[in-house]
Amino acid sequence: MNAKLDRRKKYTRMVLKESLINLLKEKQISSITVKELCELADINRSTFYSHYADPYDLLTKIEEEILVDMYQTLSSYNFNKEDEALQMTEKILEYVADNRNVCQTLLSEHGDPQFQHKVMKVTYDFTMKNWMEIHNADEKVSEYLSLYVISGSLHVLKNWLDNGMDKTPREMAELIHSFTSYGLGAIK
């Protein structure tokens, strides 16, 4: 009996998440109602409220799952310091490609801007932090440099998604790494 109930809960949560992601492609979270979520997911309102307080709660849970999953996935890799930034960038891009629908929607103009900041923090932890330590960068300069690199990279990533991922994650990682390492000198 419990297995059946657990499957039903998982299914309900899955269809609600998919419904919210589909609605976020069209409009802001502030415009999404529980009623339309339930209609799209084909569930009743009491079922929705047994899982989530409101659409914002559902969005928060989706974001938390993505961030935890991203962190766990990236933590499973162990690269040497020299290759770390390029390889971690590639792994981040592979993760985004594997979760394209959700990531593209959450990073769009209808997504939560705080989610972008959280993704930037994960990216910093896995790419920039070690680089800054290796190069003994000044703390204030490190803050500005990492903000510049990561925010620019995030916009490149969003554009890559919007362009249908026209390059492989490896090719994009090499481009980002080249831009980060050589700036305008990377242009050939």
Side-chain angles (χ1 to χ4, degrees), residues 32-44:
I32 296 174
T33 65
V34 171
K35 180 182 179 186
E36 66 187 326
L37 264 170
C38 291
E39 286 174 359
L40 190 58
D42 196 24
I43 63 162
N44 62 48

Side-chain angles (χ1 to χ4, degrees), residues 127-177:
T127 59
M128 294 297 294
K129 191 174 186 179
N130 286 336
W131 187 92
M132 296 295 188
E133 289 171 5
I134 290 169
H135 292 89
N136 294 322
D138 173 79
E139 191 173 320
K140 198 62 182 169
V141 171
S142 295
E143 180 184 333
Y144 290 129
L145 180 60
S146 63
L147 181 62
Y148 177 78
V149 169
I150 294 171
S151 63
S153 297
L154 182 63
H155 287 283
V156 168
L157 179 140
K158 288 164 55 172
N159 195 46
W160 176 61
L161 287 169
D162 291 342
N163 287 334
M165 297 185 317
D166 55 350
K167 296 188 181 304
T168 67
R170 177 68 184 191
E171 291 170 329
M172 287 305 298
E174 288 171 349
L175 273 175
I176 290 170
H177 184 71

Side-chain angles (χ1 to χ4, degrees), residues 69 99 103 124 129 169 172-173 185:
D69 188 40
N99 297 280
C103 289
Y124 172 81
K129 191 174 186 179
M172 287 305 298

